[in-house]
């Protein structure tokens, strides 16, 4: 199959499919679950037409690899970035630094995993986080603070030069969802999941930048949400996984 992206110019009423510039065959080596998917999108903070796309998977014979792609026309056409991180086995881990949109972060899993940083829109990459080589997500706050999720949450305030471990979980769950309040970066939410039938997982919140945490999973029936988003206009946290759930966070 082909790698496809759906684009809407009318707020989601209608979509068109684009494959221009994307791999003409779905990669299979070094993927998360046996085949590649377009897994992550990141939008430029001031130019909405500039997008980055993350796909897992290495090249196979004459078939191209996944990796990171850039669009300058709102996702209608794509170009593979000139350089690529050292591992393409990624899940959700792609983020643009709002304080410097040329700076990108990419998290990956397995050999070469951890977090990679580019200072030049993807032309070159540096491996900046290796303490956990199974990193499923990363997020960058408005100040440039970087948050990476693996078995625990790790935070960097110097663009990845040094890191602080912000949690110390004892079970086997993994940090996947990450959200930061842009008006108060000390307020962070994370969601954790297991990749088996285990019951570990849930949602946690810190009000002090990661020093202390409170579980706020509540009555969500499936305790493994993988995506968290915080809406400042409504003071609402969204959690997505098996279903969508919302929670007021005044």
């Amino acid at each position: 199959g082909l790698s496809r992206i759906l684009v809407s110019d009318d707020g989601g009423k209608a979509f068109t499919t684009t494959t221009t510039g994307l791999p003409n065959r779905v990669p299979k080596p070094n993927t998360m679950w046996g085949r590649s998917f377009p897994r992550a999108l990141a939008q430029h903070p001031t130019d909405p037409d500039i997008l980055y796309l993350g796909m897992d998977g290495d090249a196979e014979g004459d078939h191209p690899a996944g990796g990171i792609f850039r669009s300058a026309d709102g996702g209608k056409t794509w170009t593979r970035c000139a350089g690529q991180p050292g591992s393409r086995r990624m899940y959700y881990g792609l983020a643009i630094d709002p304080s410097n949109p040329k700076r990108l972060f990419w998290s990956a899993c397995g050999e070469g995993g951890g977090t990679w940083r580019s200072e030049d829109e993807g032309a070159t990459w540096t491996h900046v986080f290796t303490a956990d080589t199974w990193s499923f997500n990363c997020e960058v706050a408005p100040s440039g603070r970087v948050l990476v999720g693996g078995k625990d949450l790790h935070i960097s305030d110097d663009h990845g030069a040094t890191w602080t471990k912000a949690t110390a979980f004892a079970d086997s769950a993994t940090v996947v969802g990450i959200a930061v309040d842009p008006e108060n970066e000390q307020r962070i939410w994370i969601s954790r999941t297991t990749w088996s039938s285990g019951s570990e997982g849930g949602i946690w919140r810190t009000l002090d930048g990661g020093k202390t945490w409170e579980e706020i999973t509540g009555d969500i029936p499936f305790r493994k949400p993988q995506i968290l988003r915080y809406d400042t206009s409504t003071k609402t946290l969204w959690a997505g996984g098996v279903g969508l759930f919302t929670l007021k966070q005044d």
Side-chain angles (χ1 to χ4, degrees):
L2 297 175
S3 303
R4 296 180 174 89
I5 295 293
L6 300 179
V7 179
S8 175
D9 289 320
D10 57 7
K13 295 177 182 178
F15 287 85
T16 57
T17 300
T18 179
T19 61
T20 304
L22 298 177
N24 59 8
R25 184 165 174 173
V26 173
K28 292 183 179 179
N30 201 31
T31 54
M32 291 303 299
W33 312 122
R35 57 149 290 177
S36 175
F37 288 93
R39 293 194 176 276
L41 284 170
Q43 187 176 51
H44 193 285
T46 58
D47 186 343
D49 282 334
I50 297 178
L51 300 168
Y52 292 88
L53 167 68
M55 295 179 58
D56 52 342
D58 290 343
E60 184 178 23
D62 295 331
H63 304 307
I68 183 167
F69 299 80
R70 186 179 188 273
S71 175
D73 58 9
K76 296 179 177 65
T77 62
W78 296 88
T79 302
R80 184 185 297 275
C81 288
Q84 293 292 320
S87 172
R88 293 185 179 91
R89 194 176 185 185
M90 65 94 66
Y91 197 55
Y92 290 147
L94 172 62
I96 301 173
D97 184 345
S99 70
N100 177 4
K102 291 186 176 182
R103 181 181 296 128
L104 313 177
F105 289 88
W106 170 280
S107 287
C109 298
E111 184 177 353
T115 301
W116 295 75
R117 182 190 67 210
S118 173
E119 297 282 349
D120 49 18
E121 298 180 311
T124 60
W125 293 85
T126 303
H127 206 180
V128 295
F129 176 72
T130 59
D132 189 339
T133 57
W134 287 82
S135 177
F136 288 84
N137 201 2
C138 61
E139 185 68 40
V140 186
S143 68
R145 166 175 278 191
V146 188
L147 303 95
V148 169
K151 183 180 184 300
D152 285 289
L153 180 71
H154 297 259
I155 298 176
S156 175
D157 286 315
D158 51 17
H159 314 303
T162 59
W163 295 86
T164 299
K165 185 178 176 181
T167 62
F169 293 108
D171 59 30
S172 61
T174 300
V175 176
V176 179
I178 305 171
V180 181
D181 183 346
E183 297 174 350
N184 175 10
E185 293 185 12
Q186 296 297 298
R187 191 156 73 149
I188 304 166
W189 298 266
I190 59 173
S191 64
R192 303 172 65 238
T193 190
T194 49
W195 309 107
S196 66
S197 59
S199 61
E200 298 92 342
I203 303 172
W204 279 257
R205 176 185 61 201
T206 180
L207 303 178
D208 54 19
K211 296 181 180 67
T212 60
W213 293 86
E214 173 189 9
E215 184 179 354
I216 60 169
T217 309
D219 59 356
I220 291 180
F222 188 78
R223 295 175 55 87
K224 303 180 183 185
Q226 296 193 10
I227 297 175
L228 297 180
R229 295 290 185 270
Y230 178 66
D231 186 341
T232 56
S233 64
T234 61
K235 306 294 184 184
T236 301
L237 180 69
W238 290 74
V242 179
L244 275 174
F245 301 87
T246 62
L247 180 67
K248 292 292 288 184
Q249 295 285 270
D250 295 325

